[in-house]
């Protein structure tokens, strides 16, 4: 038996090549066919595939190890690559069968750069097969807003919730080197089928099976070897095309791969996607001019295929593009498929040129298959149905128009569904034979196919030194592939660099925040300019503290849209384990902290000395610290809410109203000892309480500082309108009555006395500082939990 070897990659299927060679007896001769010269005992025409020569069963040939065989191939290639040699083709004749097979059932395996040949056909290593996929959801019943009355005996039983079937026994397969396109009208189930194949639907809700090379895939394994391109282009607008792809490479490619090799991969991908002229152009958005729509779509594809996935899913990659851009996108997908990937995409209505690039079509109508097969068979399929396709008419447009017409009828497209089933029974075996000559059975197991794919250059991010462990039913979960390509500190560093780069290119956001803080500080400083130590000065200080501390939290509400704007980018990147959620939270914290320091210093410098607050240098630095802690807690609160709410319109009312409640229960409007017991818990949960009490203690903790002297006790009372002489007489009368000498200079109320009047006695200022800092950490932990629970990205 003979076989040709164009490219001979090393398949690491065992612990070592020598073990495999020792376990498998092989014998054969290496023949070199160069140009028109054939160095064999007999001459025969050079063909793409040689007919197998039966070996005498009674003759025992000398065996060669696999290592020796590979050496002889390399030696022959070296001779053929000399300047005087002509292009050559190599044949390895194997006379022994594989273990477990008889001489008549020997396996004929051709190792090529793309697939494995068997017999007269080429068996592709990867076959993604889906069988009888069924998915239904509960249909919400439209009715009154008020809940229904409880069920009583004698009443008619309430109707069970109606189920809507989105997929109804859909079957098919996609193969390496081909593009399988899912077509249908809006609502036909295209995106649902792509989600089902990409494991984006919960297993308990989806019925049927999805296998790769006949084996079901573990979720972690699928995330490593596959990629999912969403319909929307979710990219950072201020990054260039090259930077976007480079950051994706740093996330998805393993740390063991040098940075130089990652850059080479990015440059090769830029050329493959046809983005060389736009490599240094920013992505852009509504406010910044960037790449075109077709280029943006190709960048979105490139971000997800940077690790050269084995299986690629795309949800309507041509949506919103003109005909030329859509054709270029599908042309890129064709090159990706031919490089050794399984490509499955949904498309609404392909043009005639795009149709020529597709290998398999699957038409859906209300979740049912109305056609599955190659594009070339559409004409005969509809002719058999009695609806021949007219000449010069796009077959897919004809099919979609016919399906829409049938869907308006009472029976829908049931007749076409039944016709497809009968047509598949008649034509299915012929198509399978034409495809691979082996009934669709994959030539390699999943373990072998992945190892072979890595050996020929596939950069599977979860693989280490080319080894991927495919979980078996008896294996423990710990033996599966690595979940992430890099350790968390690498992820955190890359995320931090990307966020700093985005911040650097959008300085207007920080400038606006700084301007808001400076303007607020300037207004407060000019209103509360140089407050004295009189009772009115004390009241004015309380007002300044309440407004200043609450302003810190309100200013932090602008942190709400930071995550909401990149929420779906985060979901796309974490859906296939580009990085850990913990890495994102830590980098998000690191990037935002320097700006908080600048804002805190700006506000403290603007207000502390202008208002005339006490404490000197120590008091100033504590004031800076508590303002920074307030910014820290406030930004943490806004960040946490951004992980809970889904849009800015919903988030801002929640932030503003909640901060208003915090200010109400902070102790400024009503003292702690006057708050009803059933609301006392809200007082301790108030974020404004702790910084407010901290600055009060920082200001009034000095017992040697007096705020009410002599006749000042009449201030803020009806007696304050009396002339000063009468106030002195009233003071003397009070002194004689009480037997205490109270003069005009006698200190009536000190700072600690005032703190007792305000019921600020249960905590020290340092306690308040650390509690405020702890709130910031707590909210970031809650933000992390919200990301864990809210970003599973799977349909129910």
């Amino acid at each position: 038996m003979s076989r040709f070897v164009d490219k001979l990659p090393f398949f690491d299927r065992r612990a070592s090549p020598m073990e495999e060679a020792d376990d498998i007896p092989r014998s054969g001769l290496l023949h070199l066919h160069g140009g028109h010269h054939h160095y064999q005992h007999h001459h025969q025409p050079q063909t793409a595939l040689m007919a197998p020569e039966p070996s005498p069963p009674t003759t025992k040939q000398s065996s060669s190890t696999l290592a020796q065989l590979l050496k002889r191939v390399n030696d022959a290639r070296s001779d053929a690559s000399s300047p005087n040699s002509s292009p050559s083709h190599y044949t390895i004749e194997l006379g022994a069968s594989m273990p477990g097979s008889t001489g008549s059932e020997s396996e004929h395996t051709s190792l090529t750069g793309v697939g494995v040949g068997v017999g007269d056909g080429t068996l592709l290593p990867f076959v993604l097969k889906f069988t009888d996929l069924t998915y239904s959801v509960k249909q919400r019943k439209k009715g009154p807003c008020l809940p229904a009355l409880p069920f009583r005996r004698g009443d008619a039983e309430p109707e069970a919730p109606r189920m809507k079937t989105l997929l109804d026994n859909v079957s098919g397969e996609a193969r390496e080197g081909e593009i399988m396109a899912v077509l249908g009208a809006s609502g036909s189930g295209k995106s649902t089928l792509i989600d089902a194949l990409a494991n984006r639907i919960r297993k308990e809700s989806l019925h049927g099976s999805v296998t790769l090379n006949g084996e079901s895939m573990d979720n972690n394994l699928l995330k490593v070897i596959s990629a999912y391109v969403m319909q929307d282009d979710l990219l950072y607008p201020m990054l260039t095309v090259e930077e976007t792809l480079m950051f994706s490479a740093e996330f998805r490619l393993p740390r063991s791969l040098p940075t130089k090799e990652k850059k080479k991969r990015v440059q090769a991908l830029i050329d493959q996607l046809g983005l060389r002229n736009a490599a240094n152009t920013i992505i852009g958005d509504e406010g910044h001019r960037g790449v075109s729509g077709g280029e943006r779509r190709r960048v979105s594809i490139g971000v997800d295929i940077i690790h050269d996935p084995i299986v690629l899913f795309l949800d309507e990659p041509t949506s919103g593009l003109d005909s030329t851009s859509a054709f270029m996108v599908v042309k890129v997908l064709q090159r990706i498929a031919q490089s050794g990937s399984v490509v499955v995409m949904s498309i609404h209505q392909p043009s005639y040129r795009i149709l020529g690039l597709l290998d398999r079509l699957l038409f859906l109508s209300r979740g049912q298959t109305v056609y599955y097969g190659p594009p070339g068979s559409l004409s005969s399929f509809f002719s058999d149905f009695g609806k021949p396709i007219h000449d010069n008419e796009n077959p897919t447009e004809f099919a979609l128009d016919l399906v829409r017409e049938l869907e308006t009828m009472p029976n829908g497209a049931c007749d076409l569904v039944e016709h497809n089933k009968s047509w598949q029974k008649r034509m299915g075996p012929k198509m399978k034979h034409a495809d691979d000559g082996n009934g669709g059975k994959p030539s390699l197991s999943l373990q072998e196919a992945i190892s072979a794919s890595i050996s020929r250059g596939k950069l599977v991010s979860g693989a280490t030194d080319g080894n991927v462990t495919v979980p078996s039913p008896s294996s423990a979960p710990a033996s599966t592939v690595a979940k992430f390509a890099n350790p968390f500190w690498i992820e955190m560093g890359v995320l931090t660099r990307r966020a700093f780069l985005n911040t650097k290119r959008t300085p207007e956001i920080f400038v606006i925040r700084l301007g808001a803080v400076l303007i607020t500080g300037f207004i407060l400083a000019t209103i509360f300019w140089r407050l004295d130590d009189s009772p009115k000065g004390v009241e004015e200080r309380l007002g300044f503290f309440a407004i200043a501390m609450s302003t810190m939290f309100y200013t932090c509400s602008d942190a709400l849209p930071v995550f909401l704007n990149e929420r779906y980018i985060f979901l796309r990147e974490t859906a296939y384990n580009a990085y850990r959620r913990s890495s994102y939270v830590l980098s998000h914290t690191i990037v935002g902290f320097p700006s908080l320091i600048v804002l805190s210093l700006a506000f403290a410098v603007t207000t502390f000395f202008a208002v005339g607050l006490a404490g000197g240098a120590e008091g100033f630095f504590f004031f800076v610290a508590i303002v920074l802690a307030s910014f820290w807690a406030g930004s943490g609160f806004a960040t946490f809410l951004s992980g809970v709410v889904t849009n800015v319109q919903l988030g801002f009312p929640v932030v503003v109203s909640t901060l208003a409640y915090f200010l109400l229960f902070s102790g400024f409007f009503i003292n702690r000892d006057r708050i009803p017991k059933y609301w006392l818990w809200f007082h301790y949960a108030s974020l404004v309480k702790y910084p407010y009490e901290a600055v009060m203690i920082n200001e009034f903790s000095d017992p040697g500082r007096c705020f009410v002297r002599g006749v000042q006790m009449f201030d803020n009372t009806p007696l304050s309108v009396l002339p000063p002489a009468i106030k002195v007489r009233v003071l003397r009368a009070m002194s004689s009555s009480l037997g205490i000498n109270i003069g005009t200079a006698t200190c009536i109320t000190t700072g600690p006395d005032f703190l007792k009047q305000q019921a600020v006695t249960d905590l020290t200022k340092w306690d308040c500082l650390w509690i405020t800092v702890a709130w910031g950490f707590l909210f970031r932990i809650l933000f992390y939990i919200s990301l864990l629970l809210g970003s599973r990205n799977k349909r129910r």
Side-chain angles (χ1 to χ4, degrees), residues 74 77 104 136 139 190 216 226 283 287 360 364 371 373 382 408 427 509 535 553 560 599 670 675 690 713 751 784:
N74 291 332
R77 283 189 168 181
S104 61
S136 301
Q139 204 168 13
K190 300 188 301 295
S216 59
S226 69
I283 302 299
R360 293 173 187 266
L364 293 176
Y371 174 78
F382 285 103
T408 60
M427 304 299 294
I509 296 177
F553 290 95
L560 182 68
L599 296 176
I670 182 172
I675 297 177
Y690 301 99
M713 72 170 61
Y784 170 69

Side-chain angles (χ1 to χ4, degrees), residues 65-237:
T65 65
L66 180 59
Q68 292 171 341
L69 194 59
L70 293 173
K71 183 178 184 300
R72 293 168 67 180
V73 172
N74 291 332
D75 292 342
R77 283 189 168 181
S78 300
D79 294 339
S81 62
S82 61
N84 298 327
S85 63
S86 59
S88 305
H89 203 72
Y90 305 95
T91 302
I92 299 177
E93 291 190 355
L94 301 177
S97 61
M98 297 291 288
S101 64
T102 63
S104 61
E105 298 174 346
S106 301
E107 292 189 16
H108 309 178
T109 309
S110 170
L111 308 181
T112 67
V114 176
V116 177
V118 178
D120 293 333
T122 300
L123 281 185
L124 303 174
F126 292 107
V127 177
L128 179 67
K129 188 172 183 179
F130 48 99
T131 307
D132 298 333
L133 291 183
T134 301
Y135 175 57
S136 301
V137 294
K138 292 181 180 179
Q139 204 168 13
R140 292 183 179 179
K141 184 179 179 181
K142 296 181 181 179
C145 299
L146 295 176
L149 295 175
F151 176 73
R152 294 175 298 179
R153 289 186 179 181
D155 294 344
E157 293 186 5
E159 293 184 16
R162 296 179 59 186
M163 301 296 292
K164 182 177 181 180
T165 301
L166 301 183
L167 295 177
D168 189 0
N169 292 318
V170 179
S171 301
E173 64 180 32
R175 305 183 179 199
E176 178 182 321
E178 298 180 351
I179 299 179
M180 190 188 84
V182 183
L183 296 92
S186 298
S188 61
K190 300 188 301 295
S191 298
T192 304
L193 178 59
I194 298 294
D195 286 345
L197 298 179
N199 195 24
R200 292 165 65 89
I201 298 177
R202 292 186 178 181
K203 291 184 178 180
E204 58 268 20
S205 303
L206 180 67
H207 303 282
S209 65
V210 180
T211 61
L212 185 64
N213 281 27
E215 302 179 26
S216 59
M217 291 173 290
D218 176 75
N219 187 40
N220 290 337
L221 174 65
L222 181 63
K223 288 184 177 182
V224 169
I225 67 173
S226 69
Y228 184 96
V229 181
M230 295 181 179
Q231 186 173 347
D232 299 323
D233 298 323
L234 304 173
L235 302 168
Y236 285 97

Side-chain angles (χ1 to χ4, degrees), residues 218 220-221 447 462 467-483:
D218 176 75
N220 290 337
L221 174 65
Q447 171 77 55
N467 295 321
V468 174
T469 302
V470 180
S472 62
S474 60
S475 63
S479 65
T480 58
V481 296
K483 196 171 184 180

Side-chain angles (χ1 to χ4, degrees), residues 548-793:
M549 294 302 104
S550 60
T551 299
M552 299 303 99
F553 290 95
Y554 280 110
T555 306
C556 291
S557 61
D558 62 354
L560 182 68
V562 172
F563 174 71
L564 290 178
N565 289 339
E566 57 187 55
R567 178 186 184 90
Y568 292 103
I569 300 178
F570 167 83
L571 292 176
R572 174 181 60 80
E573 292 177 334
T574 55
Y576 281 79
N577 295 343
Y579 48 80
R580 297 166 178 82
R581 292 165 180 82
S582 57
S583 302
Y584 180 85
V585 174
L586 289 173
S587 69
H588 187 277
T589 302
I590 293 172
V591 171
F593 193 72
S595 63
L596 300 183
I597 296 176
V598 176
L599 296 176
S600 302
L601 286 172
F603 183 81
V605 170
T606 306
T607 58
F608 185 86
F609 301 104
V611 176
L613 301 181
E618 181 183 351
F620 171 75
F621 286 113
F622 181 83
F623 186 75
V624 172
I626 194 62
V627 170
L628 176 59
S630 301
F631 274 123
W632 165 258
S635 63
F637 175 68
T639 301
F640 162 63
L641 284 182
S642 69
V644 176
V645 300
T646 56
N647 55 70
V648 177
Q649 290 80 4
L650 179 62
F652 271 120
V654 174
V655 171
V656 172
S657 59
T658 306
L659 291 178
Y661 300 147
F662 286 160
L663 178 61
L664 175 63
F665 288 94
S666 63
F668 170 71
F669 294 103
I670 182 172
N671 293 347
R672 173 174 56 86
D673 53 1
R674 299 285 297 172
I675 297 177
K677 291 183 179 180
Y678 48 83
W679 281 118
L680 198 59
W681 63 271
F682 210 137
H683 171 72
Y684 287 101
S686 171
L687 294 183
V688 182
K689 161 187 165 62
Y690 301 99
Y692 173 69
E693 291 187 359
V695 291
M696 284 184 61
I697 297 172
N698 191 52
E699 181 70 15
F700 299 112
S701 60
D702 185 5
R705 194 174 176 198
C706 187
F707 291 94
V708 179
R709 293 180 181 273
V711 294
Q712 289 180 339
M713 72 170 61
F714 302 123
D715 292 351
N716 302 322
T717 67
L719 299 178
S720 61
V721 298
L722 296 176
I726 297 179
K727 289 181 182 178
V728 172
R729 270 192 252 169
V730 172
L731 188 63
R732 289 175 181 172
M734 291 175 59
S735 299
S736 60
S737 300
L738 297 174
I740 301 175
N741 185 18
I742 303 176
T744 56
T746 304
C747 182
I748 305 299
T749 304
T750 62
D753 296 333
F754 181 74
L755 292 177
K756 291 179 181 178
Q757 293 175 10
Q758 297 295 316
V760 182
T761 56
D762 54 341
L763 297 171
T764 66
K765 68 178 184 179
W766 294 104
D767 292 337
C768 294
L769 174 65
W770 296 124
I771 291 174
T772 307
V773 172
W775 274 117
F777 281 107
L778 175 62
F779 283 124
R780 282 164 176 83
I781 293 173
L782 294 176
F783 174 58
Y784 170 69
I785 295 174
S786 69
L787 295 185
L788 285 179
L789 300 178
S791 61
R792 299 191 181 276
N793 213 21

